[in-house]
Amino acid sequence: MGNMGDRATLLETGRFEQPHAGNVADATASADFADRVEGLGGEHDAEETAGAEARHRGAADRGDTSSMSVLGALLLRRGDLDGAEPYLRAATADGDRAAANNLGVLLHQRGYPEEAAGWWRIAAVAGSAAAAHALGRHFRERGDEPAAEYWLRQSAEQGHALGAYALSDLLEHRGEEGVERWLRTAAEQGHREAAYRLARALEARAAEGGSRTAGTVALADTGRHALADRTGADSRGTAPDTRTGRKDPGGTVGRGAARDGSPDPAERAVPSVSGPEPAAAARAAAALLDEAAQWYRQAAARGHRRAALHLGVILERRGRLKEAGRWYLTAAKDGEPRAACALGFLLRDAGDEESAAVWWLRAAQDGDGNAANALGALHAARGEAQTAERWYRAAMDAGDVNGAYNLGLLCASQDRTAQAEQWYRRAAYAGHREAANALAVLLLQAGDHVGAEPWFSKAAEAGSVDAAFNLGILHAGRDDDRTALDWYERAAAAGHTEAALQVGIARLKDGDEHEAERHLRCAAGGGSAEAAFRLAALLDARRPPPGAPALGEPVAAKSECEEWYERAARQGHRRAQVRVGMLAATRGDGAEAARWYREAAEAGSRSGAFNLGLLLAREGSEREASLWWTRAARAGHGRAALRLALLAARRGELAEGQHWCARAVELGPGEVAERAARLREALLQELTA
């Protein structure tokens, strides 16, 4: 109903009708009328307008109906109600419908709505679209929706932009069909609010894959935009970085991730579409979004700041950052705080942190909580904890629940555990799912397993992937593998890398190699070195053992499993490094093998140290080999201990040899223990001989 009660100026209401010169034609607040009166576009100076008024006054005083109507309109526009009324009444008495409409406007402004409606009815019956629009609004303001619809439809069907817009608003309010049709009619005639709302409707349909019909689309503006919550721990995170800990087998629950718990509906990308023709549906959704952008552009070009904001969002999603920035700047200069905030993020991402801070400050001072969070994060990153806390509190005061969550993160980073728990609770009770997860982690670390689990569950049910993963860890720690796997699968389905690894490991244990491979590929693709190694091992076990290449046969390209081993090795996975070294040695590439063995050995791999020793011994560097075998043996490698025993025996160091034999027997495996025992007996006999 807000748009129905706007009486700020005659130009804005569109209820003022002016005849064309020389006849009794209708006119509204259109470009035609704007070209002929003062204050419309600044194209006519006061002298010209005064001249026109003088000419019409002379003709009106001589009884010219058209001039009386025009003069009354000019005086009414100027706010001279007393001067306008006699001329409008005289023109109305002579049957001028424009004068009847404008007399209604005058009476409405004087506070006589019923008398005004009477004149509007006369003008509307005579065919005035502007009067029909005004009469329709009059009835809607009084709650008579059937009468309002009748007159608004009369106005809209005559092509009156404001009538079409008001009719669409009424139909949307009643949940009836035809909303988009009349919005489009108004928008095509340059009505900027209609263009904006039409774009919102099209964008909403695009976000649902184009599934809604044009007649029933919801038009309510959320008041938020796609960049409204950029304060999580993703690439735009403004909270201190406390990533959720991951779980190796036997690990523990990690710390809560700094992610926003309440995503903006406008932020959602077009979802994947199920059904027989998903590609066609996706194309339809993309076409709707393209059309929405066109209408946003039309409204923004006419000064609609929210349209400029939404256009910027669409352009940013498409990677057209410079153009997006220009529209954000336009909206921000017009006082749209969300656009100022979004512009700040664009500048921050471009490396201009100081300019970003200027726009965030402007947006935060205008009450944008997201910008206040961004400023808090900026100061937190600079070590200015007190200033960061002030801005986080400002965000919270602005109604942004992320402010409380980020305060919790800030307190946690300073080991202010009690205060962190207080802020986490506040955000969690407000529905922030990652705050609930962080609170559960905090309680779990304090030993309160009973208190932690409900918060994990609440966060997971609200969509927190980290909470679902942490519930898996919690149940795994209780040996409830079935429930743990259910939660791991839920987190994995949402893209959680370590959860996918856990599911892959579980499927391997169950013998389901197909499902294991699928989940390991997901985890490995997400950056898990352990998953890459296990996937490589799975693929390695399937391939036949390589035979010796025939003379002149080219060396085969690296297999897929070797590529996965190498990916894990490059991430520092020691077992993968050893395996890559072994594969290189098999190909005869000793230098490559030595490089990977050495890297693994220096990271603490006893197998890497043992294999490096073997490689060095074959190259004649027995002294250096013994150093690496010693390191491996001391770390518990039985074969390395046996090698040291043999080396000592060959040198005649019988006591040293017995020492390493005893160590090899102790460490095993069985075959090594047997050989070490026989060697120890031989050394003992030689010592006692």
Side-chain angles (χ1 to χ4, degrees), residues 10 16-19 33 37 67-79 84 87-88 102:
L10 293 170
F16 182 52
E17 190 169 25
Q18 164 72 22
F33 182 57
V37 297
S67 291
M68 286 189 288
S69 180
V70 172
L71 180 59
L74 288 171
L75 294 171
L76 181 58
R77 172 75 64 184
R78 202 169 65 201
Y87 289 107
L88 292 175
N102 293 336

Side-chain angles (χ1 to χ4, degrees), residues 390-429:
R390 178 167 63 85
W391 283 114
Y392 287 150
R393 288 180 182 273
M396 188 172 58
D397 292 341
D400 192 327
V401 69
N402 287 309
Y405 176 49
N406 288 338
L407 275 170
L409 292 169
L410 184 65
C411 292
S413 70
Q414 298 172 336
D415 294 324
R416 294 155 58 191
T417 306
Q419 289 171 291
E421 181 180 339
Q422 169 194 345
W423 293 118
Y424 285 152
R425 282 189 184 277
R426 181 164 179 170
Y429 277 120

